[in-house]
């Protein structure tokens, strides 16, 4: 009976469970409550502030307040730049600390205090993720208020000498929280576009650290930690708590805002007895010239091929802003079809050595560099003859606004009145490649007239530096310039003697209005090819 009861019990359990599951399934499917409604989906912009606050209890400040900007990009920037910022900050810290230490150590009869090691470690500070407040004012300035947090792994070791003994103190476990105000002003039209950085603290900073002396943490001494904390906060507040500031000069505002005061006319006459640079016993010289403290690109003469005594007689005009500090740099190069151009020599003429309104012909010895103690400057490299004339502006000619020179000289005498000289300089190309050969040259087509550069053999990045001029009766406002880069076979009898590598068509209206354009153009029908072309529109007025 026991066995039969057990079997019947298992059988009843199995049947009952099966029946219960079937009944439950049908009840779940066919007897759902009728008062259940689908949830209402609404855009976030239609939600009220209380609903948003419940959904997002910690909304970043840059979402709630338009004065706050996101700082994720800035934290990434700091992380990438930290190895370099570390060195710059440590150098500035030493400069600031040196006079303070020199002033304080006599009070405590200490002989010296020196940094034996000073590095901020590998962990950069971060700006609080809620955002950074940015102020917009009517002044020429930009004001930012980040919240700075830093828990780093610095190595700061200070050696202290007193009473003939030396002790080494190491800073450990440094943490720093501060709310600085960073002001960039004045804003100037010279890179990086601000002259000074002003840093103030909007509240006393929190600084936490340990001091290791003789292997023990000195800050664990009762009362010393609080004393040092208060001392640091008070000293920092005395120096940098707003409205007091730390000023970091970036540019000289007087120089950044300088106006042009005159024109320097440079006539590159000739070179004498230049040294051979090419294997075949010749050189292809040209001259680059520019003024120091000038951001404009250098001006260049044309290339004189295979000539050690070249004559140019080319004239250039440079805008002078400070004749007392600026100088004219002259560099002679040997032009190369492939690779870097070799420097043949150089010299510098300080503008303060020139008498205004008086033309001066100078024969300059070409030097390797301007180090007077370099014995290599004793070697003869040839001479360069130039004619210089500095003409200061008169009061009525003085420009009213800060402006950069367009770097374009006037058209030569004989240029048609109302017209001008269109100058096309083909500098270089990049990533040009043919299917059968790559011996590139550039062909210019303008008003049905064609001009060509020399071809560069087996080079995907050719450099030409060749200039072409077109004398026009009127400005080419509604005309176009067609430039084609092609490759010519160096072998006779190939099926593809010429191959087009790409082309570009340029509207000339911009160069007429801007006087000068120097930029890179993407070549059409080329995968990655680019060409750098400089255009100038020179007039006699």
């Amino acid at each position: 009976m026991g066995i039969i009861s057990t079997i019947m019990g298992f059988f009843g359990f199995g049947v009952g469970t099966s029946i219960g599951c079937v009944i439950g399934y049908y009840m779940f499917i066919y007897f759902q409550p009728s008062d259940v409604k689908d949830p209402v989906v609404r855009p976030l912009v239609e939600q009220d502030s209380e609903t948003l606050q419940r959904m997002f209890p910690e909304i970043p400040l840059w979402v709630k307040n338009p004065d706050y900007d996101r700082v994720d990009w800035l934290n990434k920037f700091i992380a990438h730049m930290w190895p370099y910022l570390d060195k710059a900050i440590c150098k500035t810290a030493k400069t600031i600390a040196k006079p303070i230490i020199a002033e304080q150590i006599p009070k405590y009869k200490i002989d010296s205090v020196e940094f034996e090691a000073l590095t901020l470690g590998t962990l950069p500070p971060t700006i609080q993720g809620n955002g950074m407040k940015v102020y917009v004012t009517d002044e020429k300035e930009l004001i930012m208020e980040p919240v700075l947090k830093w828990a780093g792994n610095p190595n700061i070791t200070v050696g202290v000498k007193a009473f003939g003994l030396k002790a080494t103190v190491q800073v450990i476990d440094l943490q720093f929280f501060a709310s600085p105000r960073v002001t960039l002003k004045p804003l100037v039209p010279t890179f990086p576009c601000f002259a000074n950085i002003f840093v103030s603290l909007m509240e006393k900073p929190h600084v936490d650290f340990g001091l290791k002396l003789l292997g023990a943490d000195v800050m664990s001494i009762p009362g010393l930690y609080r004393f040092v904390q208060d001392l640091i906060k008070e000293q920092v507040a005395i120096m940098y708590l707003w409205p007091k500031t730390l000023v970091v000069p970036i540019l000289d505002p007087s120089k950044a805002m300088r106006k042009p005061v005159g024109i320097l006319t440079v006539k590159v006459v000739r070179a004498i007895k230049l040294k051979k640079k090419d294997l075949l016993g010749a050189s292809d010289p040209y001259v680059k010239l520019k003024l120091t403290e000038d951001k404009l690109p250098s001006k260049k003469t044309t290339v004189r091929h295979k000539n050690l005594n070249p004559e140019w007689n080319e004239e250039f005009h440079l805008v002078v802003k400070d004749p007392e500090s600026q100088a004219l740099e002259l560099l002679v190069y040997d032009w190369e079809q492939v690779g870097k151009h070799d420097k043949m020599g150089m010299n510098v003429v300080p503008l303060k050595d020139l008498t205004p309104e008086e033309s001066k012909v100078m024969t300059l010895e070409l030097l390797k560099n301007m180090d007077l103690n370099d014995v290599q400057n004793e070697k003869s490299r040839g001479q360069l003859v130039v004619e210089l004339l500095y003409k200061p502006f008169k009061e009525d000619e003085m420009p009213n606004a800060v402006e950069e020179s367009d770097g374009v000289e006037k058209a030569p005498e004989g240029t048609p009145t109302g017209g001008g000289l269109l100058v096309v300089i083909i500098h270089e190309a990049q990533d040009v490649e043919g299917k059968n050969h790559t011996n590139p040259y550039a062909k210019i087509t303008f008003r049905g007239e064609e001009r060509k550069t020399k071809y560069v053999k087996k080079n995907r990045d050719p450099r030409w530096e060749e200039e072409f001029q077109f004398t026009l009766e009127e400005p080419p406002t509604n005309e176009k310039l067609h430039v084609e880069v092609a490759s010519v076979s160096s072998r006779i009898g190939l099926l593809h003697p010429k191959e087009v590598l790409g082309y570009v068509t340029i509207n000339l209206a911009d160069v007429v209005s801007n006087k000068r354009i120097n930029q890179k153009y993407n070549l059409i029908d080329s995968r990655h090819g680019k060409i750098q072309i400089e255009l100038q529109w020179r007039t006699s007025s």
Side-chain angles (χ1 to χ4, degrees):
M1 289 298 293
I3 296 174
I4 296 174
S5 298
T6 303
I7 293 174
M8 293 300 293
F10 277 113
F11 178 76
F13 174 77
V15 173
T17 302
S18 301
I19 295 173
C21 290
V22 171
I23 294 173
Y25 172 76
Y26 278 96
M27 291 182 67
F28 177 78
I29 296 298
Y30 294 104
F31 295 94
Q32 290 184 355
S34 58
D35 58 344
V36 176
K37 298 181 180 180
D38 293 332
V40 179
V41 179
R42 296 171 58 191
L44 287 177
V45 293
E46 297 181 3
Q47 305 291 341
D48 56 28
S49 58
E50 294 183 0
T51 304
L52 286 174
Q53 189 66 35
R54 289 196 304 270
M55 295 172 63
F56 305 105
E58 295 183 1
I59 300 179
L61 291 175
W62 56 266
V63 174
K64 296 188 294 184
N65 193 325
D67 289 339
Y68 283 81
D69 289 342
R70 297 187 65 174
V71 293
D72 297 346
W73 66 271
L74 188 54
N75 285 327
K76 292 180 180 178
F77 173 80
I78 294 174
H80 285 293
M81 291 291 294
W82 183 242
Y84 308 96
L85 292 172
D86 176 17
K87 295 179 181 179
I89 294 172
C90 290
K91 183 178 180 181
T92 303
K94 286 182 179 180
T95 304
I96 296 174
K98 190 174 181 180
I100 298 175
I101 293 173
E103 180 183 354
Q104 295 294 327
I105 58 176
K107 300 178 182 180
Y108 303 97
K109 297 182 179 180
I110 298 175
D111 297 333
S112 66
V113 176
E114 297 179 351
F115 287 100
E116 294 185 356
L118 178 57
T119 175
L120 300 181
T122 58
L123 301 177
T126 58
I127 297 174
Q128 186 175 347
N130 279 337
M132 176 173 63
K133 192 168 185 179
V134 179
Y135 293 91
V136 178
T137 69
D138 294 332
E139 303 295 329
K140 293 182 178 180
E141 63 182 8
L142 176 64
I143 302 176
M144 300 170 287
E145 287 186 359
V147 177
L148 198 64
K149 295 184 177 182
W150 181 48
N153 55 344
N155 181 16
I156 305 175
T157 306
V158 180
V160 181
K161 291 183 180 179
F163 306 106
L165 301 175
K166 180 180 178 180
T168 300
V169 181
Q170 184 179 10
V171 178
I172 58 174
D173 300 330
L174 178 62
Q175 297 184 18
F176 178 79
F177 304 146
S179 299
R181 169 176 286 184
V182 181
T183 305
L184 310 179
K185 72 175 184 179
L187 303 180
V188 296
T190 302
F191 190 80
C193 300
F194 53 89
N196 297 291
I197 302 176
F198 295 84
V199 181
S200 299
L201 295 175
M202 304 311 295
E203 58 187 34
K204 292 182 180 181
H206 171 75
V207 182
D208 190 6
F209 61 92
L211 286 179
K212 218 171 186 180
L213 178 64
L214 301 177
D217 189 356
V218 181
M219 300 301 288
S220 60
I221 298 176
L224 183 60
Y225 175 78
R226 181 58 61 89
F227 171 77
V228 173
Q229 282 278 332
D230 293 340
L231 179 63
I232 291 175
K233 289 183 179 180
E234 291 299 325
Q235 290 297 320
V236 172
I238 290 173
M239 294 187 293
Y240 303 123
L241 192 63
W242 194 85
K244 296 181 180 180
T245 59
L246 167 66
V247 182
V248 182
I250 304 297
L251 295 173
D252 185 346
S254 62
K255 291 184 178 180
M257 301 294 290
R258 286 183 307 187
K259 299 179 180 179
V261 297
I263 292 288
L264 175 67
T265 301
V266 182
K267 185 176 183 180
V268 182
V269 182
R270 69 178 68 88
I272 305 170
K273 296 181 180 180
L274 297 177
K275 297 306 174 184
K276 301 175 183 178
K277 286 287 185 179
D278 296 342
L279 295 176
L280 299 179
S283 294
D284 306 311
Y286 69 93
V287 181
K288 293 175 65 174
L289 59 151
K290 69 171 295 184
L291 290 175
T292 57
E293 304 177 17
D294 196 347
K295 304 299 182 182
L296 293 173
S298 300
K299 296 180 180 294
K300 302 175 185 178
T301 66
T302 54
V303 179
R304 294 290 185 252
H305 294 282
K306 298 181 180 180
N307 198 332
L308 298 179
N309 295 280
E311 289 197 16
W312 289 284
N313 290 310
E314 296 182 18
E315 195 170 279
F316 304 89
H317 303 279
L318 306 175
V319 175
V320 179
K321 294 184 178 179
D322 187 358
E324 292 299 317
S325 65
Q326 286 186 290
L328 174 66
E329 290 184 347
L330 297 151
L331 300 97
V332 182
Y333 284 89
D334 175 35
W335 179 84
E336 296 289 347
Q337 282 189 340
V338 181
K340 187 178 179 182
H341 296 192
D342 296 326
K343 188 169 78 171
M344 304 179 71
M346 66 172 297
N347 211 319
V348 174
V349 180
L351 299 191
K352 63 182 180 181
D353 294 346
L354 302 178
T355 303
E357 305 285 356
E358 183 178 310
S359 180
K360 186 175 184 180
V361 178
M362 306 181 71
T363 301
L364 306 172
E365 295 290 337
L366 293 177
L367 308 174
K368 181 181 180 181
N369 52 54
M370 297 312 298
D371 184 1
L372 299 179
N373 297 322
D374 193 339
V375 295
Q376 296 191 42
N377 283 330
E378 299 176 1
K379 180 181 177 181
S380 175
R381 288 178 167 78
Q383 298 174 322
L384 181 66
V385 181
V386 295
E387 183 178 350
L388 307 178
L389 172 62
Y390 170 57
K391 186 176 180 181
F393 290 134
K394 297 178 182 178
E395 289 297 329
D396 55 346
E397 299 174 335
M398 193 73 68
N400 294 324
V402 177
E403 56 185 34
E404 295 289 346
S405 165
D406 55 14
V408 178
E409 61 256 30
K410 292 183 179 180
E413 295 181 4
T415 303
T417 304
L421 187 69
L422 176 64
V423 179
V424 182
I425 304 174
I426 307 296
H427 288 293
E428 62 181 350
Q430 296 176 349
D431 294 328
V432 293
E433 187 172 4
K435 296 180 180 178
N436 303 289
H437 44 77
T438 305
N439 305 309
Y441 69 93
K443 182 178 72 173
I444 301 170
T445 305
F446 179 66
R447 290 185 174 179
E449 183 180 354
E450 293 185 355
R451 306 278 185 89
K452 297 180 181 180
T453 67
K454 293 186 176 181
Y455 81 90
V456 180
K457 191 174 181 180
K458 296 181 180 180
N459 197 320
R460 297 177 64 250
D461 302 305
R463 178 184 291 270
W464 295 289
E465 301 293 350
E466 294 191 32
E467 179 179 308
F468 305 91
Q469 298 182 352
F470 301 87
T471 302
L472 307 180
E473 298 286 341
E474 58 185 15
T477 306
N478 300 317
E479 300 190 59
K480 297 181 179 181
L481 180 76
H482 184 82
V483 181
E484 178 184 274
V485 179
S487 174
V488 61
S489 173
S490 58
R491 297 179 182 179
I492 301 175
L494 285 182
L495 295 177
H496 305 280
K498 178 185 174 182
E499 186 177 340
V500 177
L501 307 181
Y503 69 93
V504 63
T505 301
I506 305 171
N507 292 317
L508 297 178
D510 288 341
V511 69
V512 173
S513 59
N514 296 323
K515 301 298 183 184
R516 177 178 179 270
I517 295 176
N518 186 5
Q519 68 182 60
K520 289 184 178 180
Y521 299 88
N522 292 314
L523 289 171
I524 300 173
D525 290 344
S526 175
R527 292 181 61 188
H528 305 292
K530 296 182 180 180
I531 185 170
Q532 183 176 355
I533 303 173
E534 180 178 347
L535 301 174
Q536 297 180 11
W537 174 244
R538 301 177 186 174
T539 58
S540 56
S541 58

